[in-house]
Amino acid sequence: QQQVKQSPQSLIVQKGGISIINCAYENTAFDYFPWYQQFPGKGPALLIAIRPDVSEKKEGRFTISFNKSAKQFSLHIMDSQPGDSATYFCAASWGAQKLVFGQGTRLTINP
Amino acid sequence: EAGVVQSPRYKIIEKKQPVAFWCNPISGHNTLYWYLQNLGQGPELLIRYENEEAVDDSQLPKDRFSAERLKGVDSTLKIQPAELGDSAVYLCASSKNHDYEQYFGPGTRLTVT
């Protein structure tokens, strides 16, 4: 119940395309769902986050879609750029306690 | 605003040796976390502090790992003795009390030979 399952493990997208990464969770107590972006040799950086009372949140080219009934959420990167090539982690938390991370998706944007 | 600071950035030690990592959180952040990130995986929580108090250390292997945050600001994580399987990146994160947003430092990459 503590797990967050993320897919795919790796993803290759052409420049200008849409990158989509999916996550699923079991624990209905989770009340915060962030996405982190991590470049090699760097720590994870908070990208965007959503609470379960909304179905979508958009910040620039990044959108989280949230489906509470299915216990799934996804990250969409519009107009993907080579600079977006990184590893992306979904995560979940309850009560502002620890983050439970997915396994990560290595995204490569081909120019 | 300065981010989370960690040192050293890299450490190579032989097995059975001790090692320590240091973290200074973002100013004003009362909650501090230590996470372990194995290669190709997401971070996993080791310990969470609220001010000086360790409020969640259930995932900390207490036979060899210890941590302290004596004055409620910076923190030290220690491993003694280190084992080959401890090779990983040790990440520190911080947040304001009862705030969901956690901010990570660059991590310390530990290699145990």
Side-chain angles (χ1 to χ4, degrees), chain A residues 31-32 36 38 41-46 49 51 89 93-104, chain B residues 9-10 33 35 37 40-43 45 48 56 59 91 98-107 109:
Chain A
D31 60 356
Y32 174 72
Y36 281 82
Q38 187 174 29
K42 305 291 186 183
L46 180 61
R51 297 291 186 97
F89 292 96
S93 176
W94 70 99
Q97 298 181 39
K98 70 177 182 181
L99 287 169
V100 178
F101 283 84
Q103 299 91 329
Chain B
R9 291 295 317 280
Y10 306 92
Y33 311 77
Y35 285 86
Q37 186 174 27
Q41 297 184 24
L45 181 73
R48 175 168 67 98
D56 184 356
Q59 301 303 309
L91 293 163
H98 310 298
D99 199 351
Y100 285 83
E101 295 183 352
Q102 295 184 26
Y103 297 91
F104 284 80
R109 180 176 295 277

